[in-house]
Amino acid sequence: MVRQDLSQKKMPLYLVISEELREKIIGGEYAPGEQLPSEYDLGEIFKVSRTTVRKAIANLVNQGLVTSRRGKGVFVRESSKITLALSNPLTSFEADLARQGIVSNASTIELGKIQASPEIRLRLNLSPKESQVYRQRQIISVGESPIALDTAYFPLEVGEVLAEQLQSGFTYATLDRYGFTLKRAEITLECTRANPQLSKYLNVAIGAPLLVYEYAVRTVGEGIVACGETLSSADRMCYSVVLDRD
């Protein structure tokens, strides 16, 4: 049996529970970063099954209010979004976050040669003989929280020169640091939803809205040295731009 005040409300129990927890989160009773009671404890508090509790938690996850960390529990998400500026798209991810006083890190989970798809060959302006590229995947994190997954593609000669350096650095910053002076970036913003793999990487619910920052960068000599996309949780990050009228 559920508590009397819950049973009287004409909506599914898991929604009633998630709404009550939501009110506590919005009201500050559960602070950002704080862990919610365990499934067992919530079941005891609301006098419902663990299945009902899981559905209530899943609803909070889908609203972007909490995040579930495997083996650790459920935690209230930070309420403020991280803002990245588009006014100068050649500013590195790391530098833009540092400007806001945010310490970030990039962890490479994949780096190696792959067969280039027709789309990637076109974006990198490769010749018909160039069939392989280097692909790098990085998890970008703030503290212990992943905020973005970056997938970058490099022409073979660039990847071979920077294979070791890319392991421990952000893409733009590494290119600049090792002699590839960036001149122009071509940016497209789109949106998508998290599939099971992205859900795992970004610690978000399957189907959660994601921002897609698609880019291609050129050097002073006009050669395209990298292209790729950065996917981030729409409730953790946003992009801004300031435009002046001439």
Side-chain angles (χ1 to χ4, degrees), residues 55-66 204-209 235:
K55 291 177 72 175
I57 294 299
N59 189 45
L60 293 175
V61 170
N62 287 332
Q63 294 181 60
L65 293 171
V66 302
V204 298
I206 295 174
D235 68 341

Side-chain angles (χ1 to χ4, degrees), residues 182-245:
L182 304 181
K183 178 184 178 183
R184 188 172 72 182
E186 299 160 4
I187 305 299
T188 302
L189 290 178
E190 297 181 339
C191 61
T192 188
R193 291 192 176 274
N195 59 26
Q197 185 181 45
L198 293 173
S199 170
K200 178 182 177 182
Y201 283 144
L202 296 174
N203 200 14
V204 298
I206 295 174
L210 302 178
L211 299 174
V212 183
Y213 178 96
E214 192 173 277
Y215 59 87
V217 289
R218 296 176 181 268
T219 61
V220 172
E222 289 296 301
I224 299 178
V225 291
C227 71
E229 61 181 19
T230 305
L231 293 101
S232 57
S233 174
D235 68 341
R236 291 295 314 279
M237 287 181 55
C238 64
Y239 294 93
S240 68
V241 63
V242 177
L243 300 175
D244 290 322
R245 185 177 182 180

Side-chain angles (χ1 to χ4, degrees), residues 91-206:
T91 301
S92 74
F93 206 103
E94 179 183 25
D96 206 352
L97 293 176
R99 177 180 56 80
Q100 301 173 64
I102 299 171
V103 178
S104 59
N105 63 83
S107 174
T108 296
I109 57 176
E110 176 192 331
L111 177 61
K113 298 177 187 178
I114 64 165
Q115 289 296 121
S117 68
E119 178 190 2
I120 295 302
R121 289 177 60 195
L122 180 64
R123 290 177 64 191
L124 289 175
N125 196 26
L126 300 180
S127 71
K129 294 182 179 180
E130 296 176 287
S131 60
Q132 289 189 315
V133 295
Y134 265 82
R135 179 174 68 187
Q136 180 188 43
R137 283 190 172 140
Q138 289 184 322
I139 300 291
I140 299 171
S141 302
V142 171
E144 295 185 358
S145 301
I147 61 169
L149 170 67
D150 182 69
T151 303
Y153 300 88
F154 307 90
L156 213 54
E157 64 272 18
V158 176
E160 288 175 344
V161 169
L162 297 181
E164 182 177 348
Q165 291 82 358
L166 287 167
Q167 292 279 2
S168 58
F170 288 78
T171 301
Y172 282 18
T174 301
L175 287 168
D176 251 342
R177 191 175 297 125
Y178 291 95
F180 295 88
T181 304
L182 304 181
K183 178 184 178 183
R184 188 172 72 182
E186 299 160 4
I187 305 299
T188 302
L189 290 178
E190 297 181 339
C191 61
T192 188
R193 291 192 176 274
N195 59 26
Q197 185 181 45
L198 293 173
S199 170
K200 178 182 177 182
Y201 283 144
L202 296 174
N203 200 14
V204 298
I206 295 174

